[in-house]
């Protein structure tokens, strides 16, 4: 049985800017009312990126809006959050990130069995001509689909 999930936020910019080579599912260390706010869809990962520091993975630039019905325990919307990955996965990512041109970008935030999960992609940057090629392929695919529908 395939696990079902509910997509909360998607990072389309990451797929446009990078070639996503591998994806990892990880948890996020959240505090206070952040879970309620994220489940309402008030999260943005457009400008976010991930780094490994001292054997731990952290996400920077992930914006979680404060929960409106919250109290003084609402945290800073742009605080650095720790990502929960297995040590083996962190070591594998660290060795890949040392290679030139690789980075870690968050691709989507979703809810799976009541838990908030983040998909992180191991990515390599695209050049301008790669982006143009991707856009051209997408347009060609749309034209073919329209022609088939007629």
């Amino acid at each position: 049985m395939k696990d079902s999930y509910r997509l909360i936020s998607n990072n389309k910019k990451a797929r446009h800017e990078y070639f996503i080579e591998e994806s990892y599912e990880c948890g996020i260390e959240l505090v206070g009312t952040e879970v309620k706010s994220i489940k309402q869809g008030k999260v943005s990962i457009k400008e976010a990126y991930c780094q490994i520091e001292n054997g731990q993975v952290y996400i920077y630039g992930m914006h979680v809006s404060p929960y409106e019905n919250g109290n003084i325990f609402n945290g800073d919307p742009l605080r650095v959050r720790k990502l929960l990955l297995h040590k083996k996965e962190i070591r594998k990512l660290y060795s890949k990130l040392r290679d030139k041109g690789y980075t870690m970008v968050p691709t989507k935030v979703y809810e799976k069995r009541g838990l908030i999960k983040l998909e992180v992609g191991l990515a390599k940057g695209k050049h301008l001509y790669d982006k143009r090629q991707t856009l051209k392929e997408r347009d060609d695919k749309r034209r073919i689909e329209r022609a088939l529908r007629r």
Side-chain angles (χ1 to χ4, degrees):
M1 181 181 114
K2 188 175 183 246
D3 282 328
S4 62
Y5 67 91
R6 183 178 70 90
L7 186 65
I8 297 170
S9 179
N10 197 3
N11 191 355
K12 293 178 184 177
K13 184 179 174 186
R15 299 222 182 262
H16 180 71
E17 297 285 329
Y18 301 98
F19 291 113
I20 308 295
E21 295 187 3
E22 292 179 40
S23 295
Y24 295 91
E25 178 182 80
C26 56
I28 313 169
E29 191 174 80
L30 300 169
V31 295
T33 54
E34 287 178 336
V35 174
K36 291 180 179 185
S37 184
I38 290 174
K39 284 186 178 183
Q40 287 182 346
K42 299 192 175 180
V43 61
S44 173
I45 55 173
K46 271 185 180 169
E47 302 297 322
Y49 63 97
C50 303
Q51 283 187 338
I52 297 176
E53 295 172 5
N54 302 324
Q56 299 292 330
V57 183
Y58 296 96
I59 185 167
Y60 295 86
M62 178 176 163
H63 187 276
V64 178
S65 297
Y67 185 59
E68 342 43 76
N69 299 329
N71 49 24
I72 59 169
F73 299 111
N74 279 340
D76 178 29
L78 286 172
R79 76 177 182 84
V80 178
R81 293 168 179 85
K82 183 176 170 182
L83 300 181
L84 309 171
L85 283 159
H86 292 284
K87 200 172 277 188
K88 187 177 179 181
E89 292 174 326
I90 294 172
R91 278 195 221 110
K92 186 177 178 185
L93 281 167
Y94 183 72
S95 66
K96 290 271 190 167
L97 288 174
R98 285 187 293 176
D99 295 343
K100 189 177 181 204
Y102 280 99
T103 187
M104 274 193 312
V105 290
T107 54
K108 61 183 167 183
V109 176
Y110 55 94
E111 183 181 359
K112 181 177 171 183
R113 287 187 268 142
L115 301 172
I116 303 297
K117 299 288 183 179
L118 177 77
E119 185 178 275
V120 174
L122 183 66
K124 195 164 196 149
K126 284 185 181 179
H127 294 286
L128 183 61
Y129 55 85
D130 292 327
K131 294 176 192 177
R132 287 182 189 143
Q133 183 66 30
T134 305
L135 290 173
K136 185 179 180 292
E137 288 170 2
R138 195 180 320 143
D139 289 343
D140 291 344
K141 188 177 176 184
R142 276 194 205 125
R143 277 193 215 110
I144 291 168
E145 285 178 9
R146 279 191 202 126
L148 290 175
R149 278 188 280 194
R150 289 183 190 163

